[in-house]
Amino acid sequence: MKWDIFCSVVDNYGDIGVTWRLARQLASEQGAAVRLWVDDLAAFAAICPQADPAAEQQVVLGVEVRHWPRDWQAAEPADVVIEAFACELPPAYVAAMAARAQKVLWLNLEYLSAEDWVEGCHGLPSLQSNGLQKFFFFPGFTAGSGGLLREGDLLARREAFQADDAAVWQFLQTLGVTPVAGARRISLFAYENAALASWLGALAADAQPTQLLVPEGRIVAELQRWLGVTAIKAGDCVQRGQLQVQVLPFMRQEQYDLLLWSCDFNAVRGEDSFLRAQWAGQPLLWHIYQQAEGAHWDKLDAFLDLYIEGLSAEAGAVLRALWHAWNAGEDMAPGWAAVQQVWPELAEHSQRWALERASQADLATALVQFYRNWLSYAA
Ligand code: TRH
């Protein structure tokens, strides 16, 4: 079973983050021979530093990673071709797909969304001008969707890690973090956000101490402004009231997962970190990727509608208010105070949510199943 996955890095790390996880899982769990074509190897090397950003071709953790050059060089198409997030395949490659004696399954992997229409569109074919069919594959949170990226042993590994204080401590030490006794540990990964100052203010004034861990990235400039410092870099640690802020280096993707597992609360963004925070089984705060004409608000509320099922009306409303304030750049103080009142319920719910979603077939398994079904139909 040969797979080609094409990833065009639009901005940030979500496109490469998702396709890299998928490629690895298809190779390690599904026995697939995977080529991952990436047009921006520097973004790849940021989440996977053992990769060589200058190599046209390399094998990393069982995946053949290829630079996707502007001037496309002919390559034999695989059995299954995934274009991630509607990136446009090289026309010569598409022509080769059409000319291949053995049929090729062509899939467009879409962005993750909890919106209702996803189930209705998942798996639909679209006839292309060259006679090929392209299928739309939608990841999602419900049974009628393509499922969520989740390695087979993910929850077991996470549970074992979280149950082992020494492992958590040891991991944090590798990042240069010394846990603060009695403090709530929070990770922060977000886009620029006008709500940050009010949240930091609330944390600094809180009765309980907080240790805030911030991988270097787009939020750091606002962090500096609030702290009143001109430059803050990885390794720096600053105390304001009850809040200790530590900036961390941007880390390898596997380490970032461990960071999420090591925290009591995770502020995440985009698509991949958002999902990984759910698998961490801890309460989370989502900074959604902004879309034109505010289209992201429907996406945010669709997720919340699903996520708060099973929570009390009060806890659901509190969570929604907090997420809305964060995404609207509004005052976080009232929402953060309200969240403290329902914290145990939110914490328990986060565990349950992860377990329930894990009962669904994962995305890689669903893709392989889709291919098998297609084969029996195409034969
Ligand atoms: O980087 P993002 O903002 O990506 C976004 C979204 O995917 C969005 O949907 C898309 O349209 C846009 O890009 C173009 O956030 P996301 O999806 O969480 O991806 C971040 C990746 O970076 C994820 O795989 C985790 C990884 N990461 C590390 O490997 N190390 C780190 O230190 C951190 C903070 C993240």
Side-chain angles (χ1 to χ4, degrees):
M1 205 173 32
K2 290 185 178 165
W3 294 61
D4 271 338
I5 302 176
F6 285 83
C7 172
S8 168
V9 176
V10 179
D11 59 0
N12 304 313
Y13 300 103
D15 309 295
I16 185 60
V18 168
T19 49
W20 172 232
R21 282 196 205 278
L22 175 62
R24 282 176 62 187
Q25 199 187 338
L26 284 169
S28 64
E29 293 183 15
Q30 302 290 342
V34 186
R35 280 189 304 202
L36 175 60
W37 298 89
V38 187
D39 64 354
D40 177 357
L41 286 170
F44 175 53
I47 65 165
C48 179
Q50 63 267 51
D52 176 356
E56 287 300 311
Q57 192 170 336
Q58 58 194 307
V59 176
V60 190
L61 301 173
V63 174
E64 186 180 335
V65 180
R66 293 282 198 102
H67 180 226
W68 176 0
R70 226 177 262 271
D71 295 322
W72 178 253
Q73 309 289 315
E76 175 64 20
D79 303 313
V80 187
V81 176
I82 297 180
E83 57 175 43
F85 314 124
C87 68
E88 216 174 300
L89 298 185
Y93 183 86
V94 176
M97 282 162 69
R100 194 177 188 249
Q102 205 188 336
K103 277 184 150 186
V104 175
L105 172 61
W106 183 3
L107 297 164
N108 180 47
L109 178 66
E110 297 285 344
Y111 285 112
L112 174 62
S113 173
E115 286 161 295
D116 289 349
W117 53 263
V118 160
E119 287 194 0
C121 296
H122 171 59
L124 289 185
S126 136
L127 191 61
Q128 306 297 297
S129 56
N130 58 4
L132 287 178
Q133 274 193 325
K134 173 156 71 173
F135 291 85
F136 293 91
F137 203 93
F138 282 85
F141 299 91
T142 53
S145 73
L148 299 165
L149 264 179
R150 172 179 51 81
E151 300 80 49
D153 62 351
L154 181 68
L155 262 58
R157 277 194 297 119
R158 185 263 282 169
E159 278 161 17
F161 180 81
Q162 287 175 335
D164 184 350
D165 287 344
V168 173
W169 183 283
Q170 226 170 25
F171 165 68
L172 290 170
Q173 294 276 306
T174 65
L175 297 178
V177 174
T178 304
V180 174
R184 181 205 287 125
R185 210 157 34 239
I186 298 181
S187 77
L188 170 61
F189 180 45
Y191 309 110
E192 297 76 6
N193 192 327
L196 181 70
S198 63
W199 189 27
L200 297 179
L203 291 172
D206 218 340
Q208 193 187 351
T210 294
Q211 184 170 26
L212 185 71
L213 303 174
V214 192
E216 276 181 320
R218 289 173 57 176
I219 195 76
V220 165
E222 255 139 7
L223 192 62
Q224 284 174 183
R225 239 191 319 279
W226 184 80
L227 289 168
V229 298
T230 46
I232 190 164
K233 57 178 188 323
D236 290 350
C237 201
V238 185
Q239 188 80 35
R240 293 286 183 274
Q242 289 282 65
L243 173 65
Q244 186 198 83
V245 180
Q246 184 167 351
V247 176
L248 306 179
F250 193 87
M251 62 204 79
R252 196 164 356 115
Q253 201 182 43
E254 298 93 310
Q255 286 181 308
Y256 181 64
D257 281 352
L258 294 182
L259 177 69
L260 296 173
W261 299 356
S262 304
C263 289
D264 306 300
F265 186 84
N266 293 299
V268 285
R269 74 183 204 193
E271 173 165 329
D272 188 59
S273 58
F274 168 53
L275 181 58
R276 297 313 275 196
Q278 292 169 54
W279 294 135
Q282 305 285 26
L284 67 148
L285 176 63
W286 184 24
H287 198 187
I288 193 169
Y289 187 77
Q290 290 206 1
Q291 287 173 277
E293 289 161 25
H296 55 284
W297 284 105
D298 286 346
K299 201 170 157 179
L300 183 85
D301 276 322
F303 177 77
L304 277 167
D305 289 347
L306 201 63
Y307 186 78
I308 66 174
E309 275 175 24
L311 276 176
S312 66
E314 186 203 353
V318 159
L319 192 71
R320 193 184 295 271
L322 187 78
W323 285 30
H324 273 233
W326 188 234
N327 283 282
E330 289 169 358
D331 187 3
M332 289 284 282
W336 185 246
V339 157
Q340 308 315 302
Q341 306 306 312
V342 292
W343 192 279
E345 188 185 342
L346 287 179
E348 198 190 308
H349 183 70
S350 318
Q351 295 277 341
R352 200 168 51 236
W353 171 263
L355 279 177
E356 281 171 11
R357 297 307 123 180
S359 64
Q360 201 188 341
D362 69 86
L363 180 74
T365 304
L367 278 164
V368 170
Q369 194 53 52
F370 192 88
Y371 174 53
R372 294 213 174 105
N373 293 347
W374 174 83
L375 269 183
S376 55
Y377 162 84

